[in-house]
Amino acid sequence: MGVLYLLFLLLSLGCMVLLDHRFRLFFFADARRAAAVLAIGVLFFTGWDLAGIGSDIFYRGETPFMLGLTLAPHLPVEEIFFLAFLCYLTMVLFGLVRLVAARTGARAAARNTDRAGGPPARRPSERTRP
């Protein structure tokens, strides 16, 4: 039972990888840039955690769902996987927002192009009866 939290983090990371692969949002769009962004994010938040631990702001909570292994006082192994998940989730969501915005913009442009080639669009109040 002590590995349960880590397993759920890995499962969640796996789901992000599948979503990323399907829509080519982050790693599957540009692996080199994605690796750099993910590494910088994990290092930044690990430093943030270490600063919080050093300032006695962050503490490790005891739970039977964690391995019990720590990388530093109050820094469990699972924290690194959580930070990787957090950064990866953020970048996949950013990619999804960009994808939806691009598709919405393409649809609007297609509608405007269709209208430009035909007669001018009339408002319902301007329509005349035969």
Side-chain angles (χ1 to χ4, degrees):
M1 188 146 153
V3 73
L4 200 57
Y5 180 52
L6 182 59
L7 286 176
F8 277 114
L9 284 171
L10 292 174
L11 178 68
S12 300
L13 271 167
C15 291
M16 289 294 108
V17 170
L18 289 174
L19 190 62
D20 183 12
H21 180 266
R22 168 65 177 89
F23 295 105
R24 301 195 184 291
L25 301 170
F26 186 47
F27 266 102
F28 293 93
D30 187 352
R32 182 178 294 166
R33 188 180 341 175
V37 168
L38 188 63
I40 290 168
V42 170
L43 287 173
F44 173 79
F45 284 114
T46 301
W48 182 296
D49 279 355
L50 290 173
I53 290 168
S55 301
D56 287 333
I57 296 171
F58 298 154
Y59 296 98
R60 180 178 174 260
E62 296 298 324
T63 176
F65 303 112
M66 295 173 64
L67 289 173
L69 300 173
T70 58
L71 300 172
H74 301 289
L75 184 66
V77 171
E78 292 90 352
E79 183 70 10
I80 302 303
F81 289 95
F82 173 74
L83 294 175
F85 171 72
L86 180 70
C87 293
Y88 196 38
L89 173 67
T90 302
M91 294 313 298
V92 166
L93 286 175
F94 179 77
L96 277 173
V97 167
R98 286 182 58 188
L99 179 70
V100 168
R103 287 187 179 179
T104 303
R107 285 185 191 150
R111 273 190 236 124
N112 289 338
T113 307
D114 290 343
R115 286 184 185 169
R122 294 185 180 179
R123 291 184 220 134
S125 60
E126 294 177 350
R127 292 186 186 150
T128 57
R129 293 186 182 182

